[in-house]
Amino acid sequence: MADHAPGGKGLRAALSVLDGPPRFLLLCSFLIPLGSFMVLPFMSVFLHERLGMGLGTVGVVLAGASLVQFSGGIVGGALADRFGLRRTMLWALTIRTAGFAGLLLALRWPLLSVGALILTCCGAALYLPANKAYLVHGVDDEHRPAFLSAGNAALNAGMAVGPLIAGPFVLSSPGWLFVAVTALFVLVTAGHTRLPDAGGERGPGPEAGGRSLLSGVAALPFAANALAFYLYFHFQHFLAVYAVERASSAFYSLVLLLCFTLVIVVQPLASGLIRRMPYATALALGFTGLAAGMAVLSAGTRPALLAGGTLITLGDIVLFLKNDLEALRRSPRSDAVVFGQQRLAAGLGACAGGVLGGQLYGLTEHAGDAGWFWLLAAVQCLVLPAVLPAFRDRTPHSHPHETPTPIRTTKEH
């Protein structure tokens, strides 16, 4: 891809050389969240209304599951580093398939629902680092943003379509829904058995087993990712209650659809520009976008909800992709471990955003104006990034893939 062509032509040129295995993984990057989001967004309703759990218990269960799904990625990265990308993806999908089958059994034995949900989250934690590492294996630094952003676009497309398909059935016919999702994961798992091992993968060896999970972590991208997810989850967790009160649940769904669409369309087209952008510039633009979006949301009108969601999503498009690219560039560890470390940062940030954001939202709502929640969040978006320079690496690492290698073609497999 020419350095001057970050848009559609450059993206198509980068992806046109993809052979069967990465094309299959991109398809799975759509199918897996499609199946998952046919179930997971409705778990609070399912656990409370169908299985009779109290809302307090439901909140604890979902918070724990989210922490496992994000932060467990560091274990997934380490396993992929030690045992191989393909094998780790197969283990992860087997665990996740068992989790969705467990939700079907929970219709008869409700206590199984918590364990089944945790299993699905463990499978997600193990799968994503290996999936991303396989997708960019053997790809030079110039083309990695296009591949990663294409995977992100497929993931967000699945997340957007899944709830639309499952919404009418989650309470009326959950059994058939769980059967369909379990069958989908069986097929996806079977497809992964036909993937070749990633050429040139490092064998397990003593080094892979003896290094700390956080050894070689790129401190600044790790901290920036944790902060970005902390701020984003103010939006993720609390927009629903804020928007539904001021508009409607249907309008809230429209805001979410707009956000998903922006990621699907904009991030792949902007991936080349984001790659070339200086890291300090990307951080400044990303956090400024978050701050502007949070401030706009405080107005509480329907146009403000749409505009605020747009600004926040554009800020995250820059932050999430650039943080991953910088972590890959700066860390000496394998791609899978780097992605796992970044998932840990995301999990810590998301958990803090839910806990601290919930307290802050409760205080502002009790004071009679939840709009202040978004203004205070906007202030955090401007103030907290000032601490990031303290995490700057004294002696930046050189990643083993920093020297460009030939892009994958069909001949490699």
Side-chain angles (χ1 to χ4, degrees):
M1 182 172 64
D3 195 51
H4 61 276
K9 291 183 179 179
L11 177 65
R12 288 193 296 272
L15 298 181
S16 64
V17 297
L18 286 175
D19 57 351
R23 284 181 182 270
F24 172 74
L25 284 186
L26 284 178
L27 174 62
C28 290
S29 293
F30 170 76
L31 293 176
I32 289 174
L34 171 71
S36 300
F37 272 69
M38 289 170 67
V39 174
L40 298 182
F42 303 102
M43 284 307 298
S44 59
V45 178
F46 177 75
L47 293 174
H48 178 57
E49 297 189 11
R50 185 80 183 193
L51 301 183
M53 288 188 182
L55 285 175
T57 304
V58 169
V60 171
V61 170
L62 294 181
S66 297
L67 185 61
V68 168
Q69 180 166 339
F70 277 101
S71 299
I74 193 168
V75 178
L79 289 175
D81 191 36
R82 181 168 180 80
F83 297 107
L85 303 177
R86 174 178 169 275
R87 186 181 300 179
T88 302
M89 287 190 288
L90 283 172
W91 290 344
L93 289 170
T94 301
I95 292 171
R96 204 161 196 197
T97 304
F100 285 113
L103 288 175
L104 178 62
L105 297 177
L107 292 174
R108 182 165 184 177
W109 298 287
L111 288 178
L112 292 177
S113 59
V114 176
L117 178 61
I118 296 298
L119 274 181
T120 66
C121 293
C122 287
L126 296 180
Y127 181 82
L128 193 60
N131 169 275
K132 283 189 170 184
Y134 195 107
L135 188 61
V136 300
H137 178 75
V139 176
D140 59 44
D141 287 345
E142 182 183 352
H143 292 88
R144 286 184 167 212
F147 284 41
L148 287 176
S149 59
N152 289 338
L155 184 144
N156 278 272
M159 291 167 63
V161 174
L164 296 178
I165 295 176
F169 310 107
V170 71
L171 290 179
S172 61
S173 306
W176 288 109
L177 179 63
F178 294 155
V179 167
V181 173
T182 302
L184 174 63
F185 272 84
V186 168
L187 292 175
V188 169
T189 304
H192 277 67
T193 63
R194 301 183 62 83
L195 285 176
D197 289 326
E201 276 193 82
R202 196 160 48 89
E207 181 185 359
R211 299 179 73 174
S212 163
L213 293 178
L214 285 175
S215 174
V217 68
L220 180 55
F222 184 92
N225 212 42
L227 180 57
F229 271 84
Y230 163 73
L231 295 169
Y232 174 74
F233 267 74
H234 284 63
F235 173 74
Q236 176 79 9
H237 281 312
F238 305 109
L239 180 65
V241 62
Y242 183 76
V244 169
E245 288 180 354
R246 288 156 180 80
S248 66
S249 58
F251 192 82
Y252 168 65
S253 299
L254 178 63
V255 174
L256 290 185
L257 184 60
L258 171 64
C259 294
F260 283 129
T261 302
L262 285 172
V263 176
I264 294 166
V265 175
V266 174
Q267 191 179 73
L269 295 177
S271 60
L273 177 63
I274 294 171
R275 177 186 70 85
R276 296 190 300 276
M277 189 182 297
Y279 192 28
T281 302
L283 292 178
L285 285 176
F287 285 115
T288 300
L290 293 186
M294 301 285 188
V296 169
L297 286 177
S298 67
T301 64
R302 292 190 175 204
L305 294 174
L306 289 170
T310 297
L311 289 169
I312 289 170
T313 303
L314 292 176
D316 285 331
I317 284 172
V318 175
L319 287 173
F320 294 164
L321 179 58
K322 190 64 173 181
N323 283 332
D324 277 355
L325 293 173
E326 280 297 305
L328 289 170
R329 186 179 71 84
R330 293 169 182 240
S331 175
R333 301 297 298 273
S334 70
D335 293 344
V337 169
V338 172
F339 286 127
Q341 290 171 342
Q342 290 297 97
R343 289 287 288 180
L344 173 62
L348 295 175
C351 184
V355 173
L356 299 178
Q359 298 298 318
L360 185 60
Y361 193 93
L363 289 173
T364 56
E365 187 177 49
H366 184 71
D369 186 1
W372 280 101
F373 169 79
W374 302 106
L375 291 176
L376 293 172
V379 171
Q380 292 184 76
C381 293
L382 296 176
V383 172
L384 294 180
V387 306
L388 291 178
F391 295 93
R392 187 163 299 164
D393 297 326
R394 301 291 182 183
T395 54
H397 300 293
S398 176
H399 190 272
H401 295 299
E402 195 168 12
T403 301
T405 56
I407 195 166
R408 265 187 310 198
T409 66
T410 54
K411 294 181 179 179
E412 281 197 27
H413 297 291

